Amino acid sequence: MLAGTFELKDAMSRVLAMLGRHHGMMRGVVMLLDLDTNELRVVASHGLDEDGARRVKYQIGEGITGRVAQTGKSIVVPQISREPMFLDRMGARKKTLKQQELSFICVPVLVNRKSVGVLGVDLRYKSDRNYEQTSTFLSIIASMIAQAIKVTHLLEADKQRLLDENIHLKQELRERYDFSHIVGNSSPLRQVYEQVTQVARTNTTVLLRGESGTGKELIAHAIHYNSLRANKPFIRVSCAALPETLIESELFGYEKGAFTGAQARKKGRFELAEGGSLFLDEIGDLNVSTQIKLLRVLQEREFERLGGTETIKVNVRLIAATNKEMEQAIAAGQFREDLYYRLNVFAIFMPPLRERKSDVLLLADHFLEKYAREHGKSIKRISTPAIDMLTSYHWPGNVRELENIIERAVLVCETNVIHGHHLPPTLQTAEGSGTVTRLQLEATVGAFERDIIMDALKTTRGNRKTAAKLLDTTERVIGYKVRKYGIDCDRFRS
């Protein structure tokens, strides 16, 4: 009984009822300690007026019941009428005592050797009753109740922990995808922020357009976690990652026996996202047959599972993203024009990184801090020549490429400054043809030397004498190298 339910109070009432039916108990009560008031209160009873019993309470040490809770030891009262400490707060024994004598046995309920309550029972008085045996039997029952209480407390604590963790994670997600945590303040990105602010708290379908690696998924998260659906699920589906044969069953689910291997009903992503947002990434790669079914969901807000006839209503906000030129795809017959107009209610164009030059350094510093912490390195900054290389590059892979390059630089850097030679060859030749060339020893050494001198001059604000001391050389050598490499010292003085 105690193990088979999560409703502990009901289980304890059934246990007391069983003691009444099979073990001669006339009345029984389980009282547990209220941690807020430090009083014993009735949680389950048998043979008593339930409403009256709920109002009864004992202080610790008060009467027989309070004494058992205080000491953690059983008390046996063979004849209630002769015991002055017996308070009878429930007033249920006066009539019975006029007709027959009663015995009262009270045993503690101990959890981790600490009293958390008592089990008390009334029995008919019998002079030949083995009270020690009866008391031991009731102590075993009390220990089983204690174990059930302990398990319940563990389950409640675990449930509360999961609830707190869930709240914390949701808050963390909200903070992570808050606008203030999106790196960049360039004019094109500020325009994106304004559009997200306009559309976030509505239910409008959003289409995110832009090159791969520009941060479309980040903006999709920002829209969801700044919307009225923030507490509901955010489900992501990559239309390009799933084969054509699976995409429909993933989106809409399927019934048992819908196809070979469908051994049970499975909910689709639309059902899983109920009340929340569904993000369809790379929607331009969706096959035409699935496009027709998706169009119906957008129009009617309903669909049927694969192999099923039941119509399922959905309340989902759709956010789609693509890096394709949708107009060209429509002209080529690869994408349905009517679906495009349904998706293109509110379009947000994500600017490529080459149009956000002022954000390159901010993003580089952000990724430097992130990966230095992740890889346990103490890298403080990026050198001036390396910054020049980053800002002059055309970034075909956008933010994703920048992130990967900074992570690589952090891994190969053995000092506390990232220099130009830590960056990949594609950046080192960016100002030239944009292709990787075979480097000569003299040119490579010269580039490294120029990098070191420029970094020293930056540290000393263009002071050659101090820079020479920093590099353990003479001012004359520094002057020669400055002229050789055409370094402008004045740029470091401001």
Side-chain angles (χ1 to χ4, degrees), residues 187 363 464:
S187 179
L363 287 162
R464 296 186 190 185

Side-chain angles (χ1 to χ4, degrees), residues 457-474:
L457 286 167
K458 182 182 179 182
T459 304
T460 61
R461 294 184 177 274
N463 189 310
R464 296 186 190 185
K465 186 176 181 180
T466 311
K469 287 182 180 179
L470 199 64
L471 296 174
D472 199 21
T473 186
T474 64

Side-chain angles (χ1 to χ4, degrees), residues 34 226 295:
D34 187 325
N226 287 279
L295 177 63

